[in-house]
Amino acid sequence: VSAWVYPQNRWEGFGDYSVATNVLDYFINHIGPYSYAKLANMQAKTQWGGLENAGTIAYFENSVTGNKTVEPLIAHEIAHQWFGNSATEKSWNHVWLSEGFATYFCILYLESVYGDERRKEELAIDKKEIFDYYLKNPSPIVDLTIKDPMKVLSTNTYQKGGWVLNMLRHKLGDNTFWEGIRRYYETYRNSNALTDDFRHVMEKVSGQDLEAFFQQWLFTKGHPQLKWNWEYKKGKVIVQLEQIQKHHVFQFPLEIGLVKDGQTTVETIEMKERSQSFEIKTKDRPDSVVLDPNQWTLFRDMGTP
């Protein structure tokens, strides 16, 4: 592992880029063997924030600051050494297998270092970008209508792709998720895959049919938009939820947090229809009710009337 920086940035650069060894260890231990003979991290005149050349990653000139602000970018680009460089999408329209993976595996690394709050913070930021992007570009993550390769790189393939992996992790549980990731990498290391190949591996490992999940989140445009309200009656919190997006009714689990005296109790409901009502038994009236307090489901909260 080496770092290559301009002479005038040498002290700051070696400090900033030294985190690469921690990132490399994390991915080797969690995903599988590194596929290349070396890892060089290089300050360069790239037009991109980072460019994940196999074994030699280029980072933009001003990535060297001396305060390690480049750590998330380094994690993203090193994740590409596994997903994008070694296990590579067979079709450019499936580039989320590179960019969505690198986006989420950066978050997984940051979570391992800084804790679950950091995961939630990163996903909240990405979620807002996904919603803003959708207003101007209503399209699915895997959009087979795109013919220009430059147009497949988008908030959909980066941030939304990462969010899909976050939801898949929650659906399968950590142990099964990581087992599936390792199996996928082992199967397609130094090879090519499509989204269905990834799905088949995760189905085999989990024993679950994931076709509806993948179809809904990757091949269908949009996301749930929820209007909701709640009331407390006779030992029950009654939550009314309505999906107000027009084109598709999503099916998904949703955690509901009941907050009382600063403590949050989480219950999970299954949203299967456009409009549903749920009753949650609780002895005391909660101070507030929050949807998805732990950032596990991609939806837009349209608020209460």
Side-chain angles (χ1 to χ4, degrees):
V1 180
S2 58
W4 301 81
V5 296
Y6 300 165
Q8 64 269 30
N9 295 138
R10 62 189 182 278
W11 298 117
E12 299 88 349
F14 289 131
D16 284 351
Y17 288 6
S18 67
V19 73
T21 56
N22 301 333
V23 176
L24 191 65
D25 283 344
Y26 176 78
F27 290 144
I28 288 172
N29 291 333
H30 285 78
I31 303 169
Y34 181 69
S35 283
Y36 308 107
K38 65 176 175 65
L39 175 62
N41 296 283
M42 177 179 63
Q43 182 184 16
K45 284 186 173 292
T46 174
Q47 64 175 308
W48 314 104
L51 188 58
E52 66 273 14
N53 313 290
T56 305
I57 301 171
Y59 300 94
F60 71 106
E61 286 183 289
N62 293 334
S63 63
V64 176
T65 62
N67 57 19
K68 296 193 177 180
T69 53
V70 75
E71 184 178 24
L73 178 60
I74 287 176
H76 179 103
E77 301 305 336
I78 292 179
H80 272 311
Q81 304 298 305
W82 279 261
F83 304 114
N85 291 352
S86 183
T88 308
E89 61 273 11
K90 193 178 290 185
S91 161
W92 200 229
N93 295 86
H94 295 251
V95 75
W96 85 278
L97 293 169
S98 293
E99 298 301 352
F101 272 61
T103 299
Y104 192 58
F105 277 79
C106 166
I107 293 174
L108 287 168
Y109 165 76
L110 294 172
E111 177 189 346
S112 75
V113 177
Y114 301 105
D116 190 52
E117 286 303 313
R118 181 62 180 268
R119 177 190 66 86
K120 291 191 277 189
E121 289 168 10
E122 295 289 335
L123 287 165
I125 293 168
D126 288 354
K127 186 162 62 175
K128 185 179 185 309
E129 293 184 16
I130 292 165
F131 300 154
D132 290 346
Y133 181 81
Y134 179 73
L135 293 175
K136 298 177 181 177
N137 303 275
S139 55
I141 292 174
V142 182
D143 187 351
L144 301 178
T145 68
I146 296 176
K147 303 304 180 187
D148 181 354
M150 294 303 292
K151 291 184 178 175
V152 299
L153 296 173
S154 69
T155 301
N156 270 353
T157 48
Y158 282 74
Q159 287 86 347
K160 191 176 181 184
W163 250 101
V164 170
L165 289 174
N166 184 61
M167 290 189 287
L168 183 63
R169 171 191 175 188
H170 189 56
K171 180 179 179 65
L172 301 182
D174 273 14
N175 290 340
T176 302
F177 173 78
W178 279 111
E179 184 184 347
I181 291 296
R182 286 189 285 271
R183 181 81 61 84
Y184 170 65
Y185 179 66
E186 180 184 23
T187 304
Y188 293 100
R189 182 184 179 190
N190 300 327
S191 185
N192 303 93
L194 294 172
T195 300
D196 275 354
D197 297 319
F198 175 56
R199 173 172 64 84
H200 290 318
V201 171
M202 300 308 280
E203 286 180 333
K204 192 168 184 179
V205 168
S206 68
Q208 295 187 35
D209 182 349
L210 299 173
E211 186 168 3
F213 176 91
F214 273 67
Q215 182 63 40
Q216 172 174 270
W217 294 112
L218 291 160
F219 293 90
T220 303
K221 67 181 181 180
H223 45 265
Q225 299 178 39
L226 295 181
K227 288 191 76 170
W228 66 287
N229 59 60
W230 70 277
E231 59 180 336
Y232 181 74
K233 280 185 179 179
K234 300 177 181 177
K236 295 177 183 176
V237 170
I238 302 169
V239 182
Q240 299 271 1
L241 294 156
E242 182 185 4
Q243 299 186 50
I244 63 170
Q245 75 282 353
K246 294 178 181 177
H247 63 280
H248 178 74
V249 176
F250 286 81
Q251 297 187 355
F252 54 93
L254 179 65
E255 290 188 346
I256 297 178
L258 309 182
V259 183
K260 181 69 176 178
D261 299 328
Q263 299 295 314
T264 303
T265 302
V266 176
E267 299 285 343
T268 301
I269 57 95
E270 291 287 338
M271 195 75 185
K272 295 181 178 180
E273 300 170 12
R274 184 170 292 281
S275 181
Q276 283 178 263
S277 177
F278 299 91
E279 294 184 353
I280 302 171
K281 292 181 180 178
T282 181
K283 185 172 68 172
D284 300 313
R285 186 185 195 281
D287 300 323
S288 62
V289 174
V290 292
L291 301 186
D292 193 36
N294 296 310
Q295 296 286 0
W296 288 117
T297 303
L298 180 64
F299 69 96
R300 185 163 191 173
D301 187 340
M302 306 303 286
T304 56

